[in-house]
Amino acid sequence: MEVLTRQHYADIVDSWIGKGNIIALVGSRRVGKSYVLKDFIQRHNQEPDINIIFIDKEKKAFKGIQTKDDLDAWIEARFIQGKHNCILIDEAQEIDRFEESVCNWYTEDNTDVIITGSNSKMLSGELATLLSGRHVEVRVHPLCYSEFLQFHDLPDTDESLMTYLNYGGLPGLRKVGLDSDEQVWAYLTSVFNTIMLKDIIERHEIRNIPFLNNLIAFYADTTGKLTSANSISKYMKSQAENVSSNLILLFRGFYAEAYLMDVVLRYDIHGKKIFESNEKVYWDDLGLRNLKAEGGMDSYIEKIIENAVYKQLCFLGYEVHVGVLNAGEVDFVCTKPGKTVYVQASYIISEESTRQREFGPLKKIRDNHPKYVISATPLLTQRDENGITHLSLRKFLKEGF
């Protein structure tokens, strides 16, 4: 199957080539990291001055590369002096002491190293220490809505949007196709089970698997709601499951390490400080979230919309927090260098009570940063309401702000 270019990531990777940094593509399994590498090969392989060395640890041909020494020998046999060598290692964490090999090779003249990994701790230990900041981390997300339309050759319609909100953005669905609901959910089940087994259960030697599954189902049903480990522990006890808040925090950390979900902290908008308790959880992929949730789309559409808006904000490069005010809450406080925006996400705004709930908190913020309400209100594209921009969900997911 043709490798489609995800232009957003192609531009980021190309912008770091030749700048003396290891490029680390991180994200959940099956999110498309491998295809970013394959796309790099497809776009640069015919350039006469480039020599690409590719190691894919998920392929049988590379099973023999188990250690640093194996990796060094493979690269040495294919390294060409006088050319621009690009060393690409897919799922690098599967190679013992890969950090040492990577640190040696990237210092060679005219050499770039791009690695991928499916666990957030891959870059938090020895590699980060050895490099002292000489790497850049690029988070690869599932397909955003505009990429989803491109991958599946779909028109931008409400029907396409609902398909995206239901099935999510794993690139592998392009091969499966969207015609069979049964096959889509079977594929998503396979991906979810692989992440749970390889990146959580086996990696952390977990034995309490029933609670591991119950907790992740709880997070699916409480997407976008404020929770704490203590409140979850009390709820679980009411369900005859006696677990400590420490175990909940531990397991939640495992989900986050595997990029299944993100933990989003609260931010005091007026006090300009981060709260370390009562956070929200959002899923990396909408389809995997829906797989583990109870009920149909009509019962959790508002949660899905909020999660979709969160993911688009991440794709746009924002650091995202939950906004806290004395008299309410703002869904998202979004920052990146030189820019801050406030965002409310909603389903349909038709009644005055809903309008006050969504617009009211934004009106109470005493600064001039842009403020947005994003909703799926029918016939809406974009309008300004007393300095607050009301954006169509479909328009925002396709074009951003």
Side-chain angles (χ1 to χ4, degrees), residues 305-347:
I305 287 175
E306 189 171 326
N307 205 136
V309 170
Y310 167 78
K311 287 305 302 181
Q312 179 69 3
L313 291 167
C314 294
F315 179 79
L316 294 173
Y318 287 97
E319 182 179 1
V320 183
H321 292 96
V322 176
V324 177
L325 292 162
N326 292 333
E329 176 188 294
V330 175
D331 288 334
F332 303 118
V333 180
C334 319
T335 58
K336 56 183 173 181
K339 188 170 185 179
T340 297
V341 298
Y342 303 106
V343 174
Q344 291 279 71
S346 184
Y347 178 29

Side-chain angles (χ1 to χ4, degrees), residues 201-216:
I201 295 171
E202 290 183 356
R203 183 180 298 277
H204 300 288
E205 300 179 344
I206 292 176
R207 296 184 179 180
N208 192 352
I209 296 175
F211 175 64
L212 185 78
N213 288 322
N214 288 342
L215 182 60
I216 205 163

Side-chain angles (χ1 to χ4, degrees), residues 104-169:
N104 289 333
W105 285 106
Y106 102 102
T107 59
E108 292 288 323
D109 290 339
N110 206 20
T111 300
D112 280 288
V113 177
I114 310 174
I115 61 175
T116 76
S118 300
N119 188 280
S120 65
K121 284 198 170 180
M122 181 184 77
L123 298 176
S124 64
E126 187 175 359
L127 181 60
T129 302
L130 289 172
L131 290 178
S132 299
R134 298 292 286 173
H135 70 272
V136 292
E137 183 174 317
V138 179
R139 173 75 179 270
V140 179
H141 300 279
L143 302 177
C144 67
Y145 177 57
S146 61
E147 291 177 317
F148 181 82
L149 297 177
Q150 174 197 3
F151 268 57
H152 296 285
D153 194 24
L154 292 172
D156 177 22
T157 63
D158 286 343
E159 182 180 1
S160 296
L161 175 60
M162 288 302 294
T163 302
Y164 172 70
L165 295 177
N166 190 26
Y167 291 157

Side-chain angles (χ1 to χ4, degrees), residues 175-212:
K175 188 173 183 179
V176 174
L178 304 177
D179 296 332
S180 169
D181 192 64
E182 182 178 347
Q183 289 185 352
V184 168
W185 293 117
Y187 173 76
L188 293 175
T189 299
S190 174
V191 172
F192 178 82
N193 290 342
T194 299
I195 294 171
M196 291 290 284
L197 179 63
K198 296 293 185 181
D199 295 323
I200 299 178
I201 295 171
E202 290 183 356
R203 183 180 298 277
H204 300 288
E205 300 179 344
I206 292 176
R207 296 184 179 180
N208 192 352
I209 296 175
F211 175 64
L212 185 78

Side-chain angles (χ1 to χ4, degrees), residues 1-175:
M1 180 175 284
E2 176 192 4
V3 177
L4 296 181
T5 297
R6 298 180 71 178
Q7 199 61 51
H8 176 77
Y9 298 107
D11 291 343
I12 293 175
V13 171
D14 285 357
S15 73
W16 283 106
I17 294 297
K19 295 185 178 177
N21 291 276
I22 292 176
I23 304 166
L25 306 176
V26 299
S28 177
R29 289 179 186 265
R30 301 295 178 263
V31 82
K33 304 182 302 296
S34 300
Y35 277 84
V36 175
L37 292 186
K38 292 175 181 177
D39 175 62
F40 181 88
I41 296 171
Q42 182 174 269
R43 291 183 295 106
H44 294 288
N45 203 30
Q46 300 303 315
E47 297 177 21
D49 294 333
I50 287 185
N51 176 47
I52 295 177
I53 303 170
F54 180 48
I55 298 102
D56 182 355
K57 278 299 295 173
E58 292 196 337
K59 291 290 189 293
K60 182 179 178 180
F62 302 95
K63 293 299 182 185
I65 304 177
Q66 299 289 333
T67 67
K68 166 194 176 297
D69 292 339
D70 299 332
L71 181 59
D72 283 338
W74 181 278
I75 295 172
E76 184 71 51
R78 291 157 180 81
F79 196 89
I80 301 177
Q81 295 290 344
K83 283 202 169 189
H84 183 176
N85 290 278
C86 293
I87 302 169
L88 281 54
I89 309 173
D90 197 12
E91 298 297 341
Q93 79 273 2
E94 302 295 332
I95 302 172
D96 185 46
R97 294 166 58 206
F98 80 92
E99 304 95 334
E100 297 174 29
S101 178
V102 163
C103 290
N104 289 333
W105 285 106
Y106 102 102
T107 59
E108 292 288 323
D109 290 339
N110 206 20
T111 300
D112 280 288
V113 177
I114 310 174
I115 61 175
T116 76
S118 300
N119 188 280
S120 65
K121 284 198 170 180
M122 181 184 77
L123 298 176
S124 64
E126 187 175 359
L127 181 60
T129 302
L130 289 172
L131 290 178
S132 299
R134 298 292 286 173
H135 70 272
V136 292
E137 183 174 317
V138 179
R139 173 75 179 270
V140 179
H141 300 279
L143 302 177
C144 67
Y145 177 57
S146 61
E147 291 177 317
F148 181 82
L149 297 177
Q150 174 197 3
F151 268 57
H152 296 285
D153 194 24
L154 292 172
D156 177 22
T157 63
D158 286 343
E159 182 180 1
S160 296
L161 175 60
M162 288 302 294
T163 302
Y164 172 70
L165 295 177
N166 190 26
Y167 291 157
L170 292 186
L173 286 176
R174 178 170 178 256
K175 188 173 183 179

